[in-house]
Amino acid sequence: MSRYFTEDHEWIEFDGDAATVGITDYAQGQLGDIVFVELPAAGTQLTKGKDAAVVESVKAASDVYSPVSGEVTEANPALEEDPALVNTAPEGDGWFFRATISDASELDGLMTEAKYKEFVAGL
Amino acid sequence: MNELEVGSETETVEAPETGTLPLDAWHRANGARMVEFAGYYMPIQYSGIVAEHDWTRSSAGLFDVSHMGQLTLSSDEGAEEDAATALERLLPGDIAGLKPGRMRYSLLLGDEGGVLDDLIVTNMGAAEGQALGMVVNGAMKWDDIAHLREHLPDAITLTLHDDKALLALQGPKAAAVLEDLVPGVGKLTFMKAAAFDWQGASLWISRAGYTGEDGFEISVPEDSAAAFADALIADERVKPVGLGARDSLRLEAGLPLYGHDLSPETDPVSAGLGFALSKKRRESGGWMGHGTCVSRFAEGCAERRVGLVLSGRLPAREGAAVMHGDEQVGRVTSGGFSPTLGHPVAMAYVASEHAADGTELSIDVRGKRLDARVAPMPFVPHKYYRGEA
C-alpha cells in the first residue's frame, strides 16, 4: 500500500485499484473544530479535482476535492456519529470514503509524503 | 474632520492597506492565527474555536475588539445645542435622558429607516468633559464618521480615539478577575460605565459585551494595552479568545451582527430591535427613519428577524433559503453550529406569517432540506449582572 497527497491537502492510499481518501492533519488544523462531514454516497462518480465532500467546521463550509476519478464504494459511517474524528485522527479513522480508480495515470501528479511535507513547510 | 467628509464623497476604489492594531504582536506571541477582518489583522483563534467558546461560557475570555471605532462627541463652548440633542436627530434612542455613566444600545438610521450601523452610546459625564462616547462597528467606522460629520452641526466636535485599544473580558469569572486588577469595578452593573486607573493608565470600563455573558469592555491607551492584556492572562481564569468564538457566542446570544443580520436594507422593527426605539422618541419623532419605523409599528412588517433551531448537525450558513413547503419564505443571515447546545442554530429574515415561535420550516443547504423550527432568542440565556437581587 502507498499513500500520496494533493496540493489541496487530501491524502489517498492505494491498494490495487481501490483507494481510500481523507484530508491531511494540516488541513484539519486549518479548518478547526469539525461539526459535520457531508460524504458522497456509494455509487457516486468522482472526477479528479471536482467536489467530492463538504466539511463543515465551526467557522465555515469547505469543499473537499477528489484526488482521482472513479466510483465511491463506501463512505466512512463513523463520521456521521463522530465528525470530530477528522480532527483527532485525520489520516486514520477519520478517512472520508473508499473508491475504485478509473484512470491510474492520474496518480502521476500526486505528491509523496516527503514531498507533501516539504510543500506544507513552504506554506 | 471636514477632510473625512470630503474623503467619503470622493471615495476611490483602491483597497486600503490592511492595518495593524496595538495588540498585533501580542496576539502573534500568544499563538493566534491572524486573518484580515474589517481592514485589520485580527486573531481568528488561539487554541481552537470550541475550546475558546466553552472557556468564555465557563470562566473568562479576553477579546481584542480594537478594530471598533471609539468616538466621542462634545459640543463647543457657546454651541446652540448639546451633543445629545444633536445626535438624537440621527438615531432613535433617548440620549438626552441618559444619566452620567449610563449606556444605551442604538442605531444610526438612514432617511428610509435602513440601519446604517448599530452602536453603543455612553454619557461619559463630568470625567470626560460631558462628552458622549460612541462605540461603532470596525468595518463601518469611516462611513459612520462621514455620516455624523455630514449631519451634525460644526459646533459638535467628533473625535476618533484610535490611540486606544478596546478589550473585552467576558464570562462568569470576568468580574472577579477584573476586580482583582481594578478594585471597585465590580460595583458597575450592566450597561453602566466609569473611569478607572490601572498602574497610572486611564481606563474607561463599561459593564457590557457581545457574548451574552456578564463582562466588561475596557478602553485602554495603546501604550498600556499589552501590559494590561498580560496582567489579565496571568490570571489562570483568563484565556485569549478570537473572532471565531466571538461569532459563535454572539449567535447563541441572539445578538445581530452588522453587515449580516442588519443592513441598510433592514429596518429596526423588522430586525426585532424595537426596544432600541424609546417610547418617548417614537412619539416625539424628529429623527431620520422615524416615518418608516412608525408605519412598520402601525401596519406590521413584511418580514421579521427570527431564530431558527435546526435538527441534525449540518449548519445552515448565511444566504441559505428558508422554505415553507416548496415556497421560499426567507433567508438565513447568520448561522452555525452552537457549541453550547450541540446543534446548529441560525438567524433569518422570514415572512411575518411564518415568523411565529414554533413554526416548522426547512432550510435548503446544497439541495438538502434541513428541518428548522422558529425559536425565541437568545438561544442561550443572557447572564448580565444587574445588581444583587
Side-chain angles (χ1 to χ4, degrees):
Chain A
M1 288 198 291
S2 47
R3 189 172 284 214
Y4 293 91
F5 299 81
T6 72
E7 290 191 359
D8 297 317
H9 308 287
E10 290 98 16
W11 58 262
I12 180 163
E13 183 160 303
F14 297 104
D15 189 4
D17 66 350
T20 306
V21 174
I23 65 169
T24 64
D25 187 53
Y26 176 84
Q28 72 77 23
Q30 289 294 309
L31 293 168
D33 303 291
I34 289 163
V35 297
F36 188 88
V37 185
E38 195 173 307
L39 295 170
T44 304
Q45 295 298 320
L46 300 169
T47 307
K48 180 184 166 89
K50 298 289 182 201
D51 303 359
V54 182
V55 182
E56 294 272 2
S57 71
V58 173
K59 241 183 296 182
S62 311
D63 289 321
V64 174
Y65 307 109
S66 183
V68 289
S69 301
E71 182 178 324
V72 176
T73 53
E74 185 190 5
N76 185 354
L79 294 187
E80 198 172 327
E81 277 298 299
D82 187 9
L85 271 178
V86 180
N87 290 122
T88 54
E91 299 186 28
D93 291 344
W95 58 276
F96 278 32
F97 57 84
R98 296 192 212 280
T100 55
I101 304 160
S102 57
D103 181 0
S105 74
E106 286 179 355
L107 315 184
D108 293 347
L110 301 175
M111 287 180 274
T112 60
E113 179 158 17
K115 198 131 187 247
Y116 177 70
K117 275 187 176 159
E118 217 172 279
F119 171 70
V120 166
L123 292 178
Chain B
M1 282 291 179
N2 274 328
E3 284 163 9
L4 286 168
E5 195 181 337
V6 172
S8 77
E9 284 166 4
T10 57
E11 205 174 321
T12 59
V13 288
E14 262 175 73
E17 215 169 293
T18 306
T20 53
L21 291 165
L23 288 172
D24 192 272
W26 188 91
H27 294 305
R28 294 173 197 272
N30 279 281
R33 183 180 298 165
M34 305 294 277
V35 296
E36 273 186 66
F37 183 80
Y40 297 97
Y41 291 108
M42 298 277 291
I44 179 94
Q45 66 171 71
Y46 303 82
S47 56
I49 293 175
V50 172
E52 293 165 29
H53 179 110
D54 291 345
W55 188 263
T56 306
R57 289 265 183 257
S58 62
S59 190
L62 177 63
F63 302 75
D64 180 11
V65 289
S66 302
H67 62 302
M68 299 184 83
Q70 301 182 66
L71 308 173
T72 53
L73 286 84
S74 55
S75 60
D76 300 347
E77 215 169 306
E80 281 178 30
E81 58 183 358
D82 60 13
T85 308
L87 186 59
E88 280 198 346
R89 285 198 295 276
L90 306 184
L91 45 76
D94 178 7
I95 308 303
L98 204 54
K99 295 193 178 77
R102 301 288 183 106
M103 310 159 63
R104 183 152 286 157
Y105 175 81
S106 196
L107 304 154
L108 282 180
L109 300 180
D111 277 327
E112 305 299 322
V115 180
L116 305 181
D117 201 4
D118 64 338
L119 50 90
I120 297 273
V121 182
T122 305
N123 181 342
M124 299 180 82
E128 303 295 323
Q130 306 301 332
L132 289 179
M134 278 175 77
V135 176
V136 304
N137 280 299
M140 299 308 299
K141 63 186 174 190
W142 303 112
D143 287 354
D144 290 352
I145 289 167
H147 177 78
L148 290 164
R149 200 59 281 170
E150 184 182 348
H151 294 283
L152 291 172
D154 290 345
I156 303 294
T157 299
L158 178 62
T159 311
L160 173 66
H161 299 270
D162 56 2
D163 56 345
K164 288 182 179 172
L166 190 63
L167 300 177
L169 187 68
Q170 301 278 300
K173 297 181 182 171
V177 168
L178 197 57
E179 180 69 26
D180 285 350
L181 280 183
V182 186
V185 81
K187 289 197 184 72
L188 293 174
T189 53
F190 183 57
M191 296 300 269
K192 287 188 188 163
F196 291 87
D197 177 272
W198 177 75
Q199 299 192 350
S202 301
L203 309 180
W204 179 264
I205 302 184
S206 311
R207 196 148 193 172
Y210 223 58
T211 61
E213 295 296 323
D214 179 27
F216 301 85
E217 289 186 349
I218 305 138
S219 177
V220 50
E222 59 182 349
D223 297 347
S224 304
F228 188 66
D230 279 337
L232 285 168
I233 60 162
D235 190 313
E236 62 183 17
R237 294 168 289 186
V238 180
K239 285 184 181 172
V241 178
L243 289 175
R246 183 170 158 80
D247 191 51
S248 53
L249 289 157
R250 71 91 200 163
L251 177 62
E252 287 184 347
L255 301 168
L257 182 62
Y258 193 81
H260 302 266
D261 311 303
L262 299 175
S263 76
E265 278 73 52
T266 56
D267 67 87
V269 187
S270 304
L273 302 176
F275 70 90
L277 282 56
S278 358
K279 184 165 179 285
K280 189 173 119 187
R281 305 223 49 234
R282 254 191 255 176
E283 288 163 2
S284 70
W287 40 276
M288 285 173 92
H290 178 249
T292 302
C293 292
V294 165
S295 73
R296 291 280 189 282
F297 272 120
E299 294 153 28
C301 307
E303 55 176 22
R304 291 186 175 279
R305 183 173 65 95
V306 298
L308 294 171
V309 168
L310 284 70
S311 44
R313 291 186 61 92
L314 176 57
R317 310 282 181 183
E318 182 174 4
V322 179
M323 310 294 291
H324 178 257
D326 288 331
E327 183 197 2
Q328 182 174 352
V329 296
R331 68 197 183 283
V332 170
T333 50
S334 51
F337 190 82
S338 160
T340 304
L341 301 172
H343 58 72
V345 295
M347 285 184 206
Y349 279 82
V350 166
S352 295
E353 60 267 36
H354 299 292
D357 285 344
T359 306
E360 300 287 349
L361 298 168
S362 65
I363 305 178
D364 185 293
V365 176
R366 300 185 291 272
K368 275 203 182 77
R369 286 298 184 84
L370 311 180
D371 291 335
R373 194 182 67 252
V374 178
M377 293 190 284
F379 299 109
V380 172
H382 293 164
K383 292 178 184 156
Y384 303 138
Y385 177 74
R386 298 176 192 277
E388 299 300 336

